[in-house]
Amino acid sequence: MILSFEKKLSARLGELNGKKLLVALSGGKDSVSLLHFLKKNEGIKSYQIAACHVNHMYRKTAWWDEKFCSDYCDKLSIPFTSYRCDVPRYCAVKKMSFEHGARVIRYRALHEAAQKSGSDLILTAHTKDDLVETFFIQAVQGASAFSLKGISEQDGILRRLMLDISSEEIYEYLNKYGIAYVIDETNNDEKYLRNFIRKNITAKLAEFRKGYEDNIVSLMRDNLRFDNYLSEKFEPMIETCENGVLAVETDFFNNLSELEQEYILHRMGSKCFRFERRHLSEMQKILDNEFSVRGDMPDGYKFEKSDKYLRLFHGRNVYPFEIVKPAGEDSLFIPQTGKRMKFSGKWKDAELLVRNRRIGDRIKMKKVKDVFIDMKLDLYTRDTALIILEKNVIVWVENISHDGSIALYVK
């Protein structure tokens, strides 16, 4: 008898034909069942599979899981690679939750493995259960309404083929073929929100109303359609500038409806960090200011309101920096701003210091700050403007000075 697990995945094999696939293998029931099915059909569809395991190094049995995955792939003659990543340390340094930090590290490792192996696609084994649990997690954590669309089926080279498959269907498949898998003992630890929701919400809802999961999935898909509609309409209005800066024209933004403004802010934030409803409120408070102002966002990002643009960028873009241009060099790249400078004439032969602005900077007896304000330059433009000093004296300021011997290019 062909199981529903096999029917659903068989219908997806056509899109894998002839491709090199990298399967994310944790050793758990979901990823093992996916890998087994793909291996069983590898010769039929002419794709090639390999597997990658990420050891998060957060429990003693993590090394057993890694060995299980290695042995399992060896048994099935599947190319295997593994990464050991100190997720607890990474989360402590980055001040992230374990689940968030593990996700960041895991996808980074998978993309690196895919690049090294020349894989066309990365396949993960997210299921319908994961989709429903994510809905409750996002709702509990205060996600914005635009975020309740769940896990996407496609994200770049990532594919999630099992989002319509339940744990019940996976167990049927595992039992049919007698497939072994590992069990993460922390799945019973309710200090992790996903585990708490699985044991106390989704499991009990399944007892109370069978098939409720399909209703939630339908709701998430409706939200996805809504998001796709708004994205198509407003995504072109969000400029991606040098050094990953996201910008929207202030006048354009002010002429939008409140709902449209909220979506723009959500879209910008979601490109940079894990966006929640509280971040939307923080951005709106910044927008309520009459003058140019900047505020802190998660993961080191900054949100800024200026006369011409709303910007979201990483704080390192405006950190103080100094770079020396040696005498005789005619070119200098400024990684902090993504700009390149070309020098000719006397400036090529001079040793110069290039930096961004400092409090008290003056050029020709005028405060650089006052000149910038008179020119109505945005705050971000002021903080990333390049300033050149010769023998500790400012001789050139971007947007102010005009000297044909110094040219500026954006990367």
Side-chain angles (χ1 to χ4, degrees):
M1 181 181 73
I2 300 176
L3 302 179
S4 59
F5 177 94
E6 296 170 291
K7 289 179 181 177
K8 290 178 178 179
L9 276 183
S10 293
R12 305 296 304 274
L13 291 182
E15 56 196 89
L16 307 180
N17 192 27
K19 290 184 168 58
K20 292 187 69 173
L21 312 175
L22 182 69
V23 179
L25 180 64
S26 69
K29 62 179 177 61
D30 302 336
S31 61
V32 167
S33 61
L34 175 62
L35 187 66
H36 182 276
F37 177 84
L38 291 173
K39 180 62 179 178
K40 190 159 65 76
N41 290 275
E42 186 177 27
I44 301 172
K45 291 298 180 180
S46 300
Y47 52 71
Q48 301 174 49
I49 61 171
C52 177
H53 176 80
V54 181
N55 181 345
H56 295 133
M57 298 172 64
Y58 72 101
R59 54 189 173 86
K60 293 180 179 178
T61 52
W63 279 264
W64 161 248
D65 293 354
E66 182 181 338
K67 185 177 186 307
F68 171 87
C69 292
S70 177
D71 291 346
Y72 187 76
C73 289
D74 185 56
K75 177 182 176 182
L76 296 181
S77 299
I78 298 172
F80 174 78
T81 187
S82 63
Y83 286 79
R84 293 179 181 177
C85 307
D86 193 343
V87 174
R89 182 174 179 277
Y90 176 83
C91 293
V93 171
K94 297 291 185 179
K95 297 181 180 179
M96 292 181 177
S97 69
F98 178 82
E99 290 172 287
H100 185 198
R103 188 181 307 111
V104 171
I105 287 287
R106 184 165 57 250
Y107 283 125
R108 187 179 297 168
L110 288 170
H111 278 91
E112 182 178 324
Q115 185 177 25
K116 287 183 177 179
S117 63
S119 298
D120 300 303
L121 298 175
I122 299 171
L123 304 183
T124 69
H126 290 90
T127 66
K128 182 191 290 186
D129 297 64
D130 294 317
L131 199 58
V132 173
E133 290 163 9
T134 297
F135 173 86
F136 285 105
I137 288 171
Q138 291 176 330
V140 168
Q141 289 180 332
S144 73
F146 306 110
S147 298
L148 295 177
K149 54 184 179 292
I151 307 168
S152 60
E153 186 175 296
Q154 179 176 337
D155 183 8
I157 65 169
L158 273 171
R159 294 291 186 279
R160 301 177 176 99
L161 306 179
M162 296 172 57
L163 291 180
D164 61 343
I165 294 177
S166 67
S167 288
E168 184 179 354
E169 292 169 307
I170 290 170
Y171 282 124
E172 286 180 345
Y173 181 81
L174 294 170
N175 291 334
K176 176 179 178 179
Y177 293 99
I179 303 168
Y181 57 92
V182 299
I183 298 175
D184 182 347
E185 68 272 17
T186 62
N187 285 343
N188 295 316
D189 189 346
E190 294 186 18
K191 74 178 181 182
Y192 298 110
L193 181 57
R194 184 174 293 275
N195 296 341
F196 179 87
I197 287 172
R198 183 182 300 132
K199 289 182 172 295
N200 296 283
I201 298 178
T202 57
K204 292 182 179 178
L205 272 174
E207 295 175 5
F208 180 78
R209 184 179 294 278
K210 187 175 178 62
Y212 84 95
E213 300 95 337
D214 292 330
N215 294 330
I216 288 183
V217 170
S218 294
L219 176 62
M220 296 172 90
R221 285 176 177 163
D222 286 343
N223 199 300
L224 180 60
R225 289 171 55 220
F226 179 48
D227 182 78
N228 289 339
Y229 166 77
L230 290 174
S231 175
E232 184 177 345
K233 186 175 182 180
F234 293 111
E235 185 73 24
M237 308 306 168
I238 302 175
E239 300 177 37
T240 301
C241 310
E242 67 271 10
N243 274 20
V245 179
L246 301 177
V248 174
E249 291 184 5
T250 303
D251 287 344
F252 168 78
F253 183 86
N254 289 338
N255 287 322
L256 297 175
S257 70
E258 182 179 353
L259 180 64
E260 291 170 332
Q261 289 180 348
E262 289 184 5
Y263 181 78
I264 289 279
L265 297 177
H266 155 81
R267 193 70 181 178
M268 293 174 73
S270 298
K271 289 174 177 288
C272 301
F273 51 85
R274 191 172 181 178
F275 194 82
E276 297 177 6
R277 178 75 200 184
R278 61 190 174 93
H279 302 135
L280 178 61
S281 298
E282 291 166 7
M283 296 168 96
Q284 288 171 325
K285 287 179 183 177
I286 292 171
L287 294 173
D288 288 339
N289 285 272
E290 182 179 353
F291 304 103
S292 295
V293 66
R294 179 184 297 159
D296 294 332
M297 292 284 113
D299 300 344
Y301 282 89
K302 308 281 185 182
F303 178 65
E304 176 183 302
K305 173 214 170 184
S306 286
D307 288 338
K308 295 181 181 178
Y309 287 97
L310 309 181
R311 288 185 177 91
L312 185 64
F313 56 91
H314 199 278
R316 61 175 168 263
N317 290 12
V318 293
Y319 291 164
F321 68 85
E322 294 183 352
I323 300 178
V324 173
K325 184 202 82 69
E329 293 288 337
D330 67 351
S331 177
L332 183 68
F333 176 64
I334 316 297
Q336 291 86 347
T337 63
K339 299 171 184 175
R340 180 173 292 279
M341 307 192 78
K342 295 286 289 184
F343 302 88
S344 58
K346 66 176 183 177
W347 299 122
K348 175 184 174 182
D349 298 324
E351 180 180 290
L352 303 172
L353 180 70
V354 181
R355 61 168 172 81
N356 49 0
R357 69 173 177 157
R358 305 285 186 272
I359 295 174
D361 279 346
R362 288 177 177 271
I363 183 168
K364 295 180 181 180
M365 304 305 294
K366 292 183 178 181
K367 287 185 177 180
V368 172
K369 175 184 177 182
D370 292 341
V371 179
F372 279 159
I373 292 174
D374 290 343
M375 295 176 68
K376 297 183 178 180
L377 296 181
D378 284 355
L379 186 57
Y380 182 83
T381 303
R382 298 178 225 162
D383 284 344
T384 56
L386 299 178
I387 295 178
I388 299 177
L389 295 85
E390 183 184 28
K391 297 178 181 179
N392 295 322
V393 176
I394 294 177
V395 295
W396 186 91
V397 179
E398 184 181 353
N399 300 308
I400 296 177
S401 303
H402 302 283
D403 186 330
S405 300
I406 300 176
L408 191 62
Y409 303 92
V410 176
K411 181 181 176 182

